[in-house]
């Protein structure tokens, strides 16, 4: 007896960074568009070593075969956008979208460059992610992003970003600065006044090139709604 097996192509992975409602909607809807969702986040990451930076903790959650070209979306809503993008920069990608506003993306380009991202990678990021369809709410925003991924997949099948080294080797004149960054960075939550370890806390927000740390998501959200009020009392 002869058996004829029809080969089945594996759905390409869609790596989603974050726990926001948009991230959860993308995770739920991705299989309907022949995408295999894999959601990662700092909130759900296993405790790392003392030297493990946020991008490393995110990458440790990935279980992809070397060379697997993926689609990626960072939807942390400003909490750890830069870390999410850096985590995915080491992977071969067909698409990488960031849920953000055009104004905030302009400032984030500088933050990414300062963190060691190449200009080629920064230009590869699609921000804001998704087609402009006047979307309202997480489901509609997720739909606009998935539509954009489908368009890239069908019309631009080649891998557009081949990944860069996850390690950045500082120049000699950066040695002192690197040692400084290795030490714990204690900051004050501008909302409640608590001391926060900026390297370990997932509740962060970048504003005008400055990274602020918060004890919880509630403080971060209150600050994001009205930063001037809290900065005027700093």
């Amino acid at each position: 007896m002869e058996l004829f097996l029809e080969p089945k192509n594996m759905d390409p992975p869609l790596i989603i960074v974050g726990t926001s409602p948009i991230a959860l909607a993308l995770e739920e809807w991705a299989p309907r568009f022949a995408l295999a969702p894999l959601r990662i986040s700092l909130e759900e990451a296993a405790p790392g070593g003392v030297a493990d930076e946020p991008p490393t903790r995110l990458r440790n959650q990935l279980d992809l075969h070397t060379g697997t070209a993926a689609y990626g979306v960072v939807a942390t809503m400003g909490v750890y956008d830069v870390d999410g993008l850096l985590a995915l920069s080491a992977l071969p990608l067909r698409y990488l979208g960031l849920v953000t506003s055009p104004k905030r993306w302009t400032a984030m380009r500088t933050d990414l460059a300062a963190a060691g991202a190449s200009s080629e990678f920064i230009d590869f990021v699609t921000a804001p992610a998704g087609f402009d369809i006047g979307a309202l709410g997480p489901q509609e925003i997720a739909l606009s992003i998935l539509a954009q991924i489908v368009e890239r997949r069908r019309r631009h099948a080649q891998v557009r970003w081949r990944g860069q080294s996850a390690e950045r080797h500082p120049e000699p004149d950066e040695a002192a600065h690197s040692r400084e960054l290795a030490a714990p960075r204690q900051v004050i939550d501008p909302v409640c006044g608590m001391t926060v370890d900026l390297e370990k806390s997932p509740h962060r927000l970048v504003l005008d090139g400055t990274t602020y740390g918060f004890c919880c998501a509630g403080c971060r959200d209150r600050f994001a709604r009205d930063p001037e009020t809290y900065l005027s009392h700093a």
Side-chain angles (χ1 to χ4, degrees), residues 17-174:
V17 183
T19 59
S20 67
I22 295 174
L24 298 179
L26 285 167
E27 183 180 26
E28 178 184 357
W29 285 26
R32 305 179 189 181
F33 294 84
L35 295 165
L38 174 59
R39 189 173 57 80
I40 61 177
S41 70
L42 286 180
E43 293 90 340
E44 300 165 320
V50 176
D52 284 348
E53 297 183 351
T56 301
R57 293 172 59 201
L58 286 168
R59 277 193 296 268
N60 288 343
Q61 298 175 61
L62 296 173
D63 184 18
L64 297 176
H65 296 293
T66 303
T68 299
Y71 298 85
V73 178
V74 176
T76 71
M77 312 311 291
V79 184
Y80 44 94
D81 287 346
V82 171
D83 293 329
L85 292 171
L86 291 177
L88 299 189
S89 68
L91 304 175
L93 299 168
R94 293 172 176 165
Y95 169 90
L96 179 56
L98 172 66
V99 180
T100 188
S101 67
K103 181 178 180 180
R104 188 166 186 279
W105 173 237
T106 299
M108 278 191 60
R109 292 177 66 94
T110 302
D111 297 332
L112 276 169
S118 67
S119 59
E120 292 81 7
F121 175 73
I122 295 173
D123 290 339
F124 173 70
V125 177
T126 298
F131 288 133
D132 184 3
I133 61 173
L136 296 175
Q139 286 75 24
E140 292 184 3
I141 294 173
L143 177 62
S144 74
I145 296 171
L146 288 167
Q148 191 172 57
I149 291 175
V150 169
E151 190 269 344
R152 297 288 177 88
R153 183 178 182 182
R154 301 309 180 198
R155 296 182 178 176
H156 309 282
Q158 73 277 13
V159 177
R160 295 188 57 201
W161 176 253
R162 300 192 178 279
Q164 65 183 12
S165 172
E167 297 183 0
R168 177 172 176 261
H169 302 285
E171 298 297 328
D173 60 353
E174 293 182 300

Side-chain angles (χ1 to χ4, degrees), residues 152-234:
R152 297 288 177 88
R153 183 178 182 182
R154 301 309 180 198
R155 296 182 178 176
H156 309 282
Q158 73 277 13
V159 177
R160 295 188 57 201
W161 176 253
R162 300 192 178 279
Q164 65 183 12
S165 172
E167 297 183 0
R168 177 172 176 261
H169 302 285
E171 298 297 328
D173 60 353
E174 293 182 300
H177 182 58
S178 297
R179 287 193 296 270
E180 179 183 346
L181 291 179
R185 296 176 59 189
Q186 303 293 327
V187 298
I188 302 299
D189 184 325
V191 176
C192 68
M194 288 184 60
T195 300
V196 177
D197 188 329
L198 192 59
E199 297 299 328
K200 295 182 179 179
S201 174
H203 308 295
R204 291 180 288 172
L205 188 146
V206 179
L207 178 66
D208 296 332
T210 300
T211 302
Y212 297 90
F214 305 89
C215 68
C216 64
C219 282
R220 182 200 68 223
D221 293 344
R222 285 194 289 273
F223 180 85
R225 286 193 293 268
D226 188 14
E228 290 79 8
T229 296
Y230 298 102
L231 293 178
S232 64
H233 293 88

